[in-house]
Amino acid sequence: MNFPEDLKYHKEHTWVRISGKNATVGITDYAQDALGDIVYVDLPEVDTEIEKDTEFSEIESTKATSSVIAPVSGTIIEVNEELDEAPEIINEDPYGKGWIAVVEMSDISELDDLLDASDYERYIEEEAK
């Protein structure tokens, strides 16, 4: 499993990459591996307000449909429209081209609740027991 050090992680298996007040959001390598082959992503609408710890998207795989939980609160300012045509990008590159949305954060202090790479890795190991 791959967990880049420059990202923050939510216990619901999403990640954020911070750039000022903006957070690029996607699902982790662990999540895409657990889901299997991703066949559809229900992208959120631009200008949608989202709240931390609530569903903002859904991902459908050959195994199941799973909620994507927001790691931060704010407004969706961009979505990865490439996923409409090629949702499997998430399987191939979950931390790069497989991002889901960019959120303009409304409360930057929420980042303090997220895990760093080593804490997230430990969390997954505990969850697997």
Side-chain angles (χ1 to χ4, degrees), residues 58-110:
E58 277 189 343
I59 293 179
E60 195 175 311
S61 73
T62 54
K63 292 182 184 177
T65 298
S66 295
S67 298
V68 180
I69 304 301
V72 294
S73 301
T75 305
I76 303 282
I77 59 171
E78 186 179 353
V79 295
N80 187 352
E81 294 181 7
E82 284 186 49
L83 298 178
D84 279 338
E85 299 297 319
E88 67 276 4
I89 294 171
I90 292 176
N91 292 121
E92 296 162 4
D93 190 10
Y95 301 117
K97 293 179 181 174
W99 62 277
I100 296 170
V102 178
V103 179
E104 185 178 319
M105 294 180 288
S106 56
D107 183 357
I108 292 176
S109 71
E110 289 178 341

Side-chain angles (χ1 to χ4, degrees), residues 17-62:
R17 179 176 290 115
I18 307 306
S19 177
K21 283 189 70 171
N22 295 340
T24 301
V25 178
I27 66 168
T28 65
D29 191 25
Y30 174 82
Q32 72 78 24
D33 185 61
L35 282 168
D37 294 335
I38 294 170
V39 295
Y40 177 73
V41 180
D42 183 20
L43 294 171
E45 297 285 322
V46 170
D47 293 330
T48 301
E49 296 283 326
I50 63 170
E51 279 193 46
K52 180 180 187 266
D53 300 327
T54 63
E55 178 183 314
F56 77 97
S57 176
E58 277 189 343
I59 293 179
E60 195 175 311
S61 73
T62 54

Side-chain angles (χ1 to χ4, degrees), residues 3-18:
F3 308 112
E5 295 285 332
D6 64 325
L7 305 178
K8 292 283 208 174
Y9 299 87
H10 188 279
K11 288 183 175 182
E12 293 293 332
H13 311 296
T14 52
W15 56 264
V16 296
R17 179 176 290 115
I18 307 306

